[in-house]
Amino acid sequence: MILILLGPPGAGKGTQAKLLATELRIPHISTGDMFRDHKARGTEIGRQIQAIMDSGGLVTDEITNAMVKDRLSRPDVAPGFILDGYPRTTAQAEVLEGLLRALGRSLDRVLSYEVPEAAVVDRIGGRRSCPKCGAVYHVTASPPKAAGLCDRDGAALVLREDDRPENVKKRMQEYAAKTAPLKRFYQDRGQVAEVDATRSPEAILAATLRLLGR
Ligand code: AMP
Ligand code: ZN
């Protein structure tokens, strides 16, 4: 099964992608995680994207598409995969169509996570991430067992640079201008299923599995 998760920053796509990947036993492909990994490892790509990513802007389509193309050439995608945070522009969606066609694959569903902007801003403000393993918590909705420390490895949790209020604003603007139009793009292809993302992660997962017929 090939799925795309669509929705504003803070809609819970990352959390749902991880849960779905476990349920469906297919890889979770997050371009945001891949970029953060490049940054952490200090690669050439990491250096190129650092400033734009920290400020909440989008990385160029060229860099992003090349990274995704490379990822989709790995054998673990054979049973399907979940795209989280990609595509984010119409140009990326068009490149993805071409990539899938070349691989003889086709998209099964685009899950559009629907949540009001006010809820999203609150979720991002309370979000804390583990710099070591990438685990994501929320100070009130899903706190770690020991305050400020990752459950898995004990690392001190951080507020991601792009989750700072001034940068969240920029991300919301980028979303509205460049990513939101993708919903129509996929609606025109009859591939969108809307998911009410205001509920708990467990309730959202259950509803998603139902609509996927699982
Ligand atoms: P995310 O974790 O999906 O919120 O992504 C974090 C940041 O990585 C974004 O704010 C962008 O700077 C960058 N990024 C992730 N995915 C993409 C993409 N498909 N196109 C451009 N930039 C991206
Ligand atoms: Zn951790």
Side-chain angles (χ1 to χ4, degrees):
M1 176 166 316
I2 300 179
L3 299 174
I4 290 177
L5 307 193
L6 211 60
K13 294 188 302 293
T15 301
Q16 290 302 310
K18 289 188 187 96
L19 295 170
L20 281 169
T22 304
E23 282 291 329
L24 303 173
R25 295 196 190 85
I26 52 180
H28 165 209
I29 300 179
S30 158
T31 44
D33 284 350
M34 292 164 83
F35 285 137
R36 278 184 285 279
D37 183 57
H38 273 288
K39 256 175 53 177
R41 288 187 292 124
T43 66
E44 176 61 30
I45 288 181
R47 278 192 295 277
Q48 285 172 5
I49 64 169
Q50 173 115 27
I52 187 76
M53 193 173 161
D54 284 351
S55 73
L58 292 185
V59 176
T60 64
D61 288 337
E62 194 187 358
I63 291 177
T64 308
N65 287 328
M67 186 175 72
V68 170
K69 181 177 182 196
D70 185 58
R71 180 67 185 85
L72 296 186
S73 71
R74 282 173 38 189
D76 66 333
V77 301
F81 50 91
I82 300 169
L83 290 172
D84 160 22
Y86 180 92
R88 245 180 169 94
T89 64
T90 305
Q92 291 179 11
E94 282 162 353
V95 165
L96 176 64
E97 274 195 327
L99 281 176
L100 292 177
R101 203 178 309 120
L103 293 168
R105 311 284 299 263
S106 61
L107 190 57
D108 289 282
R109 207 69 73 89
V110 176
L111 300 170
S112 177
Y113 289 84
E114 307 289 326
V115 54
E117 184 166 333
V120 158
V121 171
D122 171 67
R123 281 188 197 179
I124 296 180
R127 188 149 76 181
R128 297 293 180 274
S129 311
C130 175
K132 205 162 163 189
C133 74
V136 181
Y137 302 86
H138 188 280
V139 288
T140 52
S142 57
K145 293 195 181 77
L149 301 177
C150 181
D151 290 346
R152 285 192 223 157
D153 49 37
L157 302 177
V158 297
L159 178 66
R160 259 164 50 184
E161 183 61 31
D162 60 344
D163 280 347
R164 294 186 185 283
E166 61 276 24
N167 298 330
V168 169
K169 196 165 165 232
K170 165 87 170 168
R171 286 165 69 203
M172 298 306 283
Q173 286 164 353
E174 290 281 64
Y175 178 77
K178 298 176 183 166
T179 309
L182 285 181
K183 188 175 172 189
R184 178 114 299 276
F185 177 95
Y186 287 116
Q187 275 173 334
D188 290 342
R189 288 156 177 73
Q191 290 170 316
V192 174
E194 293 186 349
V195 179
D196 172 2
T198 60
R199 300 167 292 178
S200 70
E202 296 73 26
I204 299 171
L205 176 68
T208 306
L209 290 172
R210 262 198 310 280
L211 82 85
L212 293 175
R214 296 289 172 136

